[in-house]
Amino acid sequence: MALVSYQTITLSKGKHDSPEDGACVMELASMLASEPFSDHPQSVCPVIGSFLRAYNDRIDDRRRQDLYAYAAKVVGSRGSQDVQQARTERLSAWALELHWSPWLQRGVPARLRALVPTPPADLVGSHAVCAIRQHTDKTHAEVLALIDELLTIGARKPPTTQPPEKARLRPLKATMAAALSR
């Protein structure tokens, strides 16, 4: 029997006991993070994880393979409670946008729509996936874009550094400008 690894595994629906039985997108994320095999990896944001688990199980095999890259993208996405709350609110708002027809959105004031309770972080993903009426290539692309958007919420920006030459030239230019203005 061939050894199963993150490079050879095919994503499938459901929870699995081991990689030899298959893996969902979150179980693959646990493998990539070098964590114990689980569909709840510690390094993944629980909000994004709940969404990906539910979505993984609702789409067909062809579209599911597109989630392979997202297993890697979500590793290290766990953030603070504030970040999780912001992601929960965005995911819940997205689900409401899908679920409520445009005429209903116009007819119900925003302050009343805001009273609809936001599901807890571990359920918001299932709630959002249930709002997708039909799984098409268009909705699939929207879901992948949403996951990318959720990952940007609370993402750390890389530090900006200047090349050494520019760092040295700037004080020299400032010194020369000051000397010339006297």
Side-chain angles (χ1 to χ4, degrees), residues 157-172:
K157 294 184 176 109
T160 57
T161 58
Q162 296 179 2
E165 302 85 43
K166 287 186 179 179
R168 282 189 298 244
L169 290 176
R170 186 161 290 158
L172 179 61

Side-chain angles (χ1 to χ4, degrees), residues 3 5 22 43 45 48 52 88 94 111-112 136 138 143 146 152 159 162 168 171 173:
L3 184 64
S5 75
S43 64
C45 173
I48 296 172
L52 279 171
T88 298
W94 182 84
R111 69 181 190 288
L112 289 179
T136 64
K138 180 179 184 253
V143 164
L146 175 65
T152 64
Q162 296 179 2
R168 282 189 298 244
K173 285 182 180 179

Side-chain angles (χ1 to χ4, degrees), residues 26 29 35 39-53 73-88 91 121-122 124 147 150-151 153:
M26 295 313 301
E35 294 182 25
D39 65 350
H40 285 76
Q42 291 298 307
S43 64
V44 175
C45 173
V47 175
I48 296 172
S50 74
F51 184 65
L52 279 171
R53 273 189 301 281
K73 287 182 178 185
V74 300
V75 171
S77 64
R78 183 178 287 265
S80 68
Q81 285 299 113
D82 290 341
V83 169
Q84 289 180 37
Q85 184 60 36
R87 288 173 175 164
T88 298
L91 194 51
D122 59 338
V124 71
I147 297 166
L150 293 172
L151 287 168
I153 297 173

Side-chain angles (χ1 to χ4, degrees), residues 3-159:
L3 184 64
V4 177
S5 75
Y6 66 88
Q7 295 172 319
T8 61
I9 204 156
T10 299
L11 296 178
S12 56
K13 69 193 295 188
K15 186 175 180 178
H16 305 86
D17 292 328
S18 71
E20 288 75 25
D21 297 329
C24 73
V25 63
M26 295 313 301
E27 291 166 335
L28 176 57
S30 73
M31 293 170 70
L32 293 171
S34 298
E35 294 182 25
F37 188 76
S38 165
D39 65 350
H40 285 76
Q42 291 298 307
S43 64
V44 175
C45 173
V47 175
I48 296 172
S50 74
F51 184 65
L52 279 171
R53 273 189 301 281
Y55 190 65
N56 178 89
D57 291 349
R58 298 269 176 118
I59 58 176
D60 59 57
D61 286 335
R62 179 182 61 85
R63 290 185 183 104
R64 187 176 298 113
Q65 300 318 304
D66 292 341
L67 300 180
Y68 203 97
Y70 286 87
K73 287 182 178 185
V74 300
V75 171
S77 64
R78 183 178 287 265
S80 68
Q81 285 299 113
D82 290 341
V83 169
Q84 289 180 37
Q85 184 60 36
R87 288 173 175 164
T88 298
E89 289 170 7
R90 175 60 188 122
L91 194 51
S92 188
W94 182 84
L96 281 175
E97 291 167 15
L98 282 182
H99 190 70
W100 290 37
S101 64
W103 68 267
L104 190 56
Q105 288 181 31
R106 286 189 300 273
V108 177
R111 69 181 190 288
L112 289 179
R113 288 195 311 264
L115 295 176
V116 175
T118 300
D122 59 338
L123 296 177
V124 71
S126 295
H127 173 76
V129 171
C130 288
I132 304 169
R133 289 187 175 91
Q134 185 177 8
H135 295 282
T136 64
D137 288 341
K138 180 179 184 253
T139 60
H140 184 60
E142 290 171 0
V143 164
L144 298 181
L146 175 65
I147 297 166
D148 287 331
E149 179 185 344
L150 293 172
L151 287 168
T152 64
I153 297 173
R156 293 186 182 102
K157 294 184 176 109

